[in-house]
Coordinates of all heavy atoms in Angstrom, one line a residue:
W1 N 0.9 -1.2 0.0 CA 0.0 0.0 0.0 C 0.9 1.2 0.0 O 1.9 1.3 0.8 CB -0.9 0.0 1.2 CG -2.1 -0.8 1.1 CD1 -2.3 -2.1 1.6 CD2 -3.3 -0.4 0.4 NE1 -3.6 -2.5 1.2 CE2 -4.2 -1.5 0.5 CE3 -3.8 0.7 -0.3 CZ2 -5.5 -1.5 0.0 CZ3 -5.0 0.7 -0.8 CH2 -5.9 -0.4 -0.7
Y2 N 0.6 2.2 -0.9 CA 1.3 3.4 -1.0 C 0.3 4.6 -0.8 O -0.9 4.4 -0.9 CB 1.9 3.5 -2.4 CG 2.7 2.4 -2.9 CD1 2.2 1.1 -3.2 CD2 4.1 2.5 -3.0 CE1 3.0 0.1 -3.6 CE2 4.9 1.5 -3.4 CZ 4.4 0.3 -3.7 OH 5.2 -0.8 -4.1
R3 N 0.9 5.7 -0.5 CA 0.0 6.9 -0.4 C 0.8 8.1 -1.0 O 2.0 8.2 -1.0 CB -0.4 7.2 1.0 CG 0.7 7.6 2.0 CD 0.1 7.8 3.4 NE 1.1 8.2 4.3 CZ 0.9 8.3 5.6 NH1 -0.3 7.9 6.1 NH2 1.8 8.7 6.5
Q4 N 0.0 9.0 -1.5 CA 0.5 10.2 -2.1 C -0.3 11.4 -1.6 O -1.5 11.5 -2.0 CB 0.5 10.1 -3.6 CG 1.2 11.3 -4.3 CD 1.5 11.1 -5.8 OE1 0.8 10.3 -6.4 NE2 2.4 11.8 -6.3
A5 N 0.3 12.3 -0.9 CA -0.4 13.5 -0.4 C -0.2 14.6 -1.5 O 0.8 14.5 -2.3 CB 0.2 13.9 0.9
P6 N -1.0 15.6 -1.5 CA -0.9 16.6 -2.5 C 0.5 17.3 -2.5 O 1.0 17.6 -1.4 CB -1.9 17.6 -2.0 CG -3.0 16.8 -1.3 CD -2.2 15.8 -0.6
G7 N 1.1 17.3 -3.6 CA 2.4 18.0 -3.8 C 3.6 17.1 -3.3 O 4.7 17.6 -3.2
K8 N 3.3 15.9 -2.9 CA 4.4 15.0 -2.4 C 4.5 13.8 -3.3 O 3.7 13.4 -4.1 CB 4.1 14.6 -0.9 CG 4.1 15.8 0.0 CD 4.0 15.4 1.5 CE 4.1 16.6 2.4 NZ 4.1 16.2 3.8
Q9 N 5.6 13.1 -3.1 CA 5.8 11.8 -3.8 C 5.0 10.7 -3.2 O 4.5 10.8 -2.1 CB 7.3 11.5 -3.8 CG 7.8 11.1 -2.4 CD 9.3 10.7 -2.4 OE1 10.0 11.1 -3.3 NE2 9.8 10.0 -1.4
R10 N 4.8 9.7 -4.0 CA 4.1 8.5 -3.6 C 5.1 7.6 -2.7 O 6.2 7.3 -3.2 CB 3.6 7.7 -4.8 CG 2.8 6.5 -4.4 CD 2.4 5.8 -5.7 NE 1.4 6.6 -6.4 CZ 1.3 6.7 -7.8 NH1 2.3 6.1 -8.5 NH2 0.4 7.4 -8.4
D11 N 4.6 7.3 -1.5 CA 5.5 6.5 -0.6 C 4.8 5.2 -0.2 O 3.6 5.1 -0.1 CB 5.7 7.3 0.7 CG 6.5 8.6 0.5 OD1 7.5 8.5 -0.3 OD2 6.2 9.6 1.2
L12 N 5.7 4.2 0.0 CA 5.2 2.9 0.4 C 5.0 3.0 1.9 O 5.9 3.4 2.7 CB 6.3 1.8 0.1 CG 6.0 0.4 0.6 CD1 4.8 -0.2 -0.2 CD2 7.2 -0.4 0.3
V13 N 3.8 2.6 2.4 CA 3.5 2.7 3.8 C 3.4 1.3 4.5 O 3.6 1.2 5.7 CB 2.2 3.5 4.1 CG1 2.4 5.0 3.7 CG2 1.0 2.9 3.5
A14 N 3.1 0.3 3.7 CA 3.0 -1.0 4.3 C 3.1 -2.0 3.2 O 2.6 -1.8 2.0 CB 1.7 -1.2 5.0
Y15 N 3.7 -3.2 3.5 CA 3.7 -4.2 2.5 C 3.6 -5.6 3.1 O 3.9 -5.8 4.3 CB 4.9 -4.2 1.5 CG 6.2 -4.5 2.1 CD1 6.7 -5.8 2.2 CD2 7.0 -3.4 2.6 CE1 8.0 -6.0 2.8 CE2 8.3 -3.7 3.2 CZ 8.7 -5.0 3.2 OH 10.0 -5.2 3.8
I16 N 3.0 -6.5 2.4 CA 2.9 -7.9 2.9 C 3.5 -8.8 1.8 O 3.2 -8.8 0.6 CB 1.4 -8.2 3.2 CG1 1.2 -9.6 3.8 CG2 0.5 -8.0 1.9 CD1 -0.2 -9.8 4.5
N17 N 4.3 -9.7 2.3 CA 4.9 -10.7 1.4 C 4.0 -11.8 1.1 O 2.9 -12.0 1.7 CB 6.2 -11.2 2.1 CG 7.3 -10.1 2.2 OD1 7.6 -9.4 1.3 ND2 7.8 -9.9 3.4
S18 N 4.4 -12.7 0.2 CA 3.6 -13.8 -0.2 C 3.4 -14.8 0.9 O 2.4 -15.5 1.0 CB 4.2 -14.5 -1.4 OG 5.5 -14.9 -1.2
D19 N 4.3 -14.8 1.9 CA 4.2 -15.7 3.0 C 3.4 -15.1 4.1 O 3.2 -15.7 5.2 CB 5.6 -16.1 3.5 CG 6.4 -14.9 4.1 OD1 5.8 -13.8 4.1 OD2 7.5 -15.2 4.5
G20 N 2.9 -13.9 3.9 CA 2.0 -13.2 4.9 C 2.7 -12.3 5.9 O 2.1 -11.6 6.7
S21 N 4.1 -12.3 5.8 CA 4.8 -11.4 6.7 C 4.6 -10.0 6.3 O 4.5 -9.7 5.1 CB 6.3 -11.8 6.8 OG 6.8 -11.7 5.5
A22 N 4.6 -9.0 7.2 CA 4.2 -7.6 6.9 C 5.3 -6.7 7.5 O 6.0 -7.0 8.4 CB 2.9 -7.3 7.4
N23 N 5.4 -5.5 6.8 CA 6.3 -4.5 7.3 C 5.6 -3.1 7.1 O 4.8 -3.0 6.2 CB 7.6 -4.5 6.5 CG 8.5 -5.7 6.9 OD1 9.2 -5.5 7.9 ND2 8.4 -6.8 6.2
Y24 N 6.0 -2.2 7.9 CA 5.4 -0.9 7.9 C 6.4 0.3 8.0 O 7.4 0.1 8.6 CB 4.4 -0.8 9.1 CG 3.4 -1.8 9.2 CD1 3.6 -3.0 9.9 CD2 2.2 -1.7 8.6 CE1 2.7 -4.0 9.9 CE2 1.2 -2.7 8.6 CZ 1.5 -3.8 9.2 OH 0.5 -4.8 9.3
A25 N 6.0 1.4 7.4 CA 6.8 2.6 7.6 C 6.7 3.0 9.0 O 5.6 2.8 9.7 CB 6.3 3.7 6.6
D26 N 7.7 3.7 9.5 CA 7.7 4.1 10.9 C 6.5 5.0 11.2 O 6.0 5.0 12.3 CB 9.0 4.8 11.3 CG 10.2 3.8 11.3 OD1 10.0 2.6 11.5 OD2 11.3 4.3 11.3
S27 N 6.1 5.8 10.3 CA 5.1 6.8 10.5 C 3.7 6.2 10.7 O 2.8 6.8 11.2 CB 5.0 7.8 9.3 OG 4.7 7.1 8.1
V28 N 3.5 4.9 10.3 CA 2.2 4.3 10.5 C 2.2 3.0 11.4 O 1.2 2.5 11.6 CB 1.7 3.9 9.1 CG1 1.7 5.1 8.1 CG2 2.4 2.7 8.5
K29 N 3.4 2.7 11.8 CA 3.6 1.5 12.6 C 2.7 1.6 13.9 O 2.7 2.6 14.6 CB 5.0 1.3 13.0 CG 5.4 -0.1 13.3 CD 6.9 -0.2 13.4 CE 7.6 -0.1 12.1 NZ 9.1 -0.3 12.2
G30 N 1.9 0.5 14.2 CA 1.1 0.5 15.3 C -0.3 1.0 15.0 O -1.3 0.8 15.8
R31 N -0.5 1.7 13.9 CA -1.9 2.2 13.5 C -2.4 1.5 12.2 O -3.6 1.5 12.1 CB -1.8 3.7 13.3 CG -1.3 4.5 14.5 CD -1.5 6.0 14.3 NE -0.6 6.4 13.1 CZ -1.1 7.0 12.0 NH1 -2.4 7.1 11.9 NH2 -0.3 7.4 11.1
F32 N -1.5 1.1 11.4 CA -2.0 0.5 10.1 C -1.7 -1.0 10.2 O -0.7 -1.5 10.8 CB -1.1 1.0 8.9 CG -1.5 2.4 8.5 CD1 -2.1 3.3 9.4 CD2 -1.2 2.8 7.2 CE1 -2.4 4.6 9.0 CE2 -1.5 4.1 6.8 CZ -2.1 5.0 7.7
T33 N -2.6 -1.8 9.6 CA -2.5 -3.3 9.6 C -2.8 -3.7 8.1 O -3.9 -3.5 7.7 CB -3.4 -4.0 10.6 OG1 -3.1 -3.5 11.9 CG2 -3.1 -5.5 10.5
I34 N -1.8 -4.4 7.5 CA -2.0 -4.9 6.2 C -2.3 -6.4 6.3 O -1.8 -7.1 7.1 CB -0.8 -4.6 5.3 CG1 -1.1 -4.9 3.8 CG2 0.4 -5.3 5.8 CD1 0.0 -4.5 2.8
S35 N -3.2 -6.8 5.4 CA -3.6 -8.2 5.4 C -3.9 -8.6 3.9 O -4.1 -7.7 3.1 CB -4.7 -8.6 6.3 OG -5.9 -7.9 6.0
R36 N -4.0 -9.9 3.7 CA -4.4 -10.3 2.4 C -5.3 -11.6 2.4 O -5.2 -12.3 3.4 CB -3.1 -10.6 1.5 CG -2.3 -11.8 2.0 CD -1.0 -11.8 1.3 NE -1.2 -12.1 -0.2 CZ -0.2 -11.8 -1.1 NH1 0.9 -11.2 -0.7 NH2 -0.5 -12.0 -2.4
D37 N -6.1 -11.7 1.4 CA -7.0 -12.9 1.2 C -6.7 -13.4 -0.2 O -7.1 -12.8 -1.2 CB -8.4 -12.5 1.4 CG -9.4 -13.7 1.3 OD1 -9.1 -14.7 0.6 OD2 -10.4 -13.7 2.0
N38 N -5.9 -14.5 -0.2 CA -5.5 -15.0 -1.5 C -6.6 -15.6 -2.3 O -6.6 -15.7 -3.5 CB -4.3 -16.0 -1.4 CG -3.1 -15.4 -0.9 OD1 -2.8 -14.2 -1.2 ND2 -2.2 -16.1 -0.3
V39 N -7.7 -16.1 -1.6 CA -8.8 -16.6 -2.3 C -9.6 -15.5 -3.0 O -10.0 -15.7 -4.2 CB -9.7 -17.4 -1.3 CG1 -11.0 -17.9 -2.0 CG2 -9.0 -18.6 -0.7
K40 N -9.8 -14.4 -2.3 CA -10.5 -13.3 -2.9 C -9.6 -12.4 -3.7 O -10.1 -11.4 -4.3 CB -11.1 -12.5 -1.8 CG -12.2 -13.2 -1.0 CD -12.9 -12.3 0.0 CE -14.0 -13.0 0.8 NZ -14.6 -12.2 1.8
K41 N -8.3 -12.7 -3.7 CA -7.3 -11.9 -4.4 C -7.4 -10.4 -4.0 O -7.5 -9.5 -4.9 CB -7.5 -12.1 -6.0 CG -7.3 -13.5 -6.4 CD -7.4 -13.5 -8.0 CE -7.1 -15.0 -8.5 NZ -7.2 -15.1 -9.9
T42 N -7.4 -10.2 -2.8 CA -7.6 -8.9 -2.2 C -6.6 -8.6 -1.1 O -6.3 -9.5 -0.3 CB -9.1 -8.7 -1.7 OG1 -10.0 -8.9 -2.7 CG2 -9.3 -7.3 -1.1
V43 N -6.1 -7.4 -1.1 CA -5.2 -7.0 0.0 C -5.9 -5.8 0.7 O -6.6 -5.0 0.1 CB -3.8 -6.6 -0.5 CG1 -3.9 -5.4 -1.5 CG2 -2.9 -6.2 0.6
Y44 N -5.8 -5.8 2.0 CA -6.6 -4.8 2.9 C -5.6 -4.0 3.6 O -4.4 -4.4 3.9 CB -7.4 -5.5 3.9 CG -8.4 -6.5 3.2 CD1 -8.2 -7.9 3.2 CD2 -9.7 -6.0 2.7 CE1 -9.1 -8.7 2.6 CE2 -10.6 -6.9 2.1 CZ -10.3 -8.2 2.1 OH -11.2 -9.1 1.5
L45 N -6.0 -2.8 4.0 CA -5.3 -1.9 4.9 C -6.2 -1.4 5.9 O -7.1 -0.6 5.6 CB -4.6 -0.8 4.1 CG -3.6 0.0 5.0 CD1 -2.4 -0.8 5.4 CD2 -3.2 1.3 4.2
Q46 N -6.1 -1.9 7.1 CA -6.9 -1.3 8.2 C -6.1 -0.1 8.8 O -4.9 -0.3 9.2 CB -7.1 -2.4 9.3 CG -7.8 -1.9 10.6 CD -9.3 -1.6 10.3 OE1 -9.9 -2.3 9.5 NE2 -9.8 -0.6 11.0

């Protein structure tokens, strides 16, 4: 998951690997949760 604020570059804020392990940018750690459903082919960001 990436985000782009007005006038700023697009930044990666969270990612989830194929094995389900996840990583977060420091600015969102503890507040954002990434998950995936491989059956639904969908990735979520809480």
Side-chain angles (χ1 to χ4, degrees):
W1 278 99
Y2 303 74
R3 69 183 181 187
Q4 187 169 22
K8 296 189 176 181
Q9 66 181 19
R10 184 179 289 141
D11 292 324
L12 178 66
V13 295
Y15 66 90
I16 185 165
N17 295 308
S18 58
D19 65 1
S21 58
N23 285 276
Y24 302 91
D26 288 343
S27 60
V28 307
K29 203 169 291 184
R31 299 188 299 117
F32 288 22
T33 304
I34 189 171
S35 61
R36 65 189 298 160
D37 184 328
N38 289 334
V39 174
K40 295 182 178 180
K41 298 184 179 181
T42 300
V43 59
Y44 303 98
L45 188 68
Q46 177 69 37

